Amino acid sequence: MFRHVVAIAGVALALANPMAAVAANPQVELDTTAGKIRLELYPDAAPKTVANFLEYVKSGHYKGTVFHRVIDGFMIQGGGFTAEYWQKPTKPPVANEAQASSKAGILNAPGTIAMARTADPNSATAQFFINVADNKFLNFRSPDPQGIGYTAFGKVVDGMDVVAKIAKSPTGGGGPFPKDVPQTPIVINAATLLPAK
């Protein structure tokens, strides 16, 4: 009897709030000159970070930016510079949410996307990176600046082969960067929020 009551209550809840039962995580497609990468984002784990990233996506910020820092066996980083190495203007930085995302199980592991930042933990704006290795040292360890880590907020759900191809690009110096720049620019043609399923 008790199980039937619980089941009926669950159906009633789903009918009262259908979105609660079918809410899907947002997905973003990066259409790059190396191929397409589809990302699933986790607002429950890092709400401010996901909202920040989606604002940049919707504004068209990422169109024409490049992966300007690529290190095979580590990560690929982009979202801030054009192919001519002009840095695009950004909005105010977003608060670091590495502690919350780590607690939710979203870590700097192969295929996850995280926010790039300076030594200031709360300095992330538009630049992001996709991990191509298990980068445990980037995860939250403690709340101090040295241990807070980098906020992972989503993962690649399609196109990890494209990520791997980018990671293996021949690199060297370019613009203001002395190394790690793909010698053939890898451009983000468009970043698009996909329709909810």
Side-chain angles (χ1 to χ4, degrees):
M1 176 67 181
F2 179 72
R3 278 181 296 184
H4 294 305
V5 171
V6 171
I8 291 166
V11 170
L13 180 64
L15 291 173
N17 185 6
M19 291 310 291
V22 296
N25 291 317
Q27 293 196 353
V28 168
E29 182 180 82
L30 302 179
D31 181 0
T32 82
T33 52
K36 293 181 178 179
I37 302 165
R38 185 155 45 96
L39 306 164
E40 182 173 62
L41 311 180
Y42 302 118
D44 289 348
K48 293 175 185 173
T49 306
V50 169
N52 175 72
F53 184 76
L54 288 176
E55 281 182 34
Y56 282 111
V57 168
K58 292 172 186 174
S59 72
H61 172 92
Y62 293 121
K63 180 181 171 77
T65 60
V66 295
F67 285 93
H68 65 276
R69 184 171 176 241
V70 166
I71 304 172
D72 192 19
F74 179 30
M75 56 91 233
I76 63 172
Q77 181 176 335
F81 293 86
T82 68
E84 296 77 32
Y85 307 108
W86 296 337
Q87 188 163 11
K88 283 197 165 186
T90 59
K91 301 184 290 87
V94 64
N96 188 299
E97 295 181 297
Q99 183 172 7
S101 66
S102 289
K103 196 176 284 187
I106 314 302
L107 304 171
N108 286 282
T112 59
I113 180 172
M115 292 308 296
R117 60 171 176 82
T118 67
D120 175 357
N122 298 302
S123 61
T125 54
Q127 290 186 44
F128 62 87
F129 61 92
I130 298 173
N131 291 287
V132 295
D134 191 2
N135 295 317
K136 289 185 172 71
F137 68 99
L138 300 180
N139 295 334
F140 174 85
R141 298 183 306 280
S142 60
D144 56 278
Q146 288 72 38
I148 197 165
Y150 291 72
T151 306
F153 62 97
K155 72 174 182 182
V156 175
V157 291
D158 192 35
M160 199 59 197
D161 57 327
V162 176
V163 173
K165 181 163 68 173
I166 295 170
K168 294 191 178 301
S169 301
T171 59
F177 306 108
K179 60 178 184 174
D180 302 326
V181 179
Q183 295 303 277
T184 299
I186 298 159
V187 183
I188 298 174
N189 299 315
T192 309
L193 176 61
L194 299 175
K197 291 181 181 177

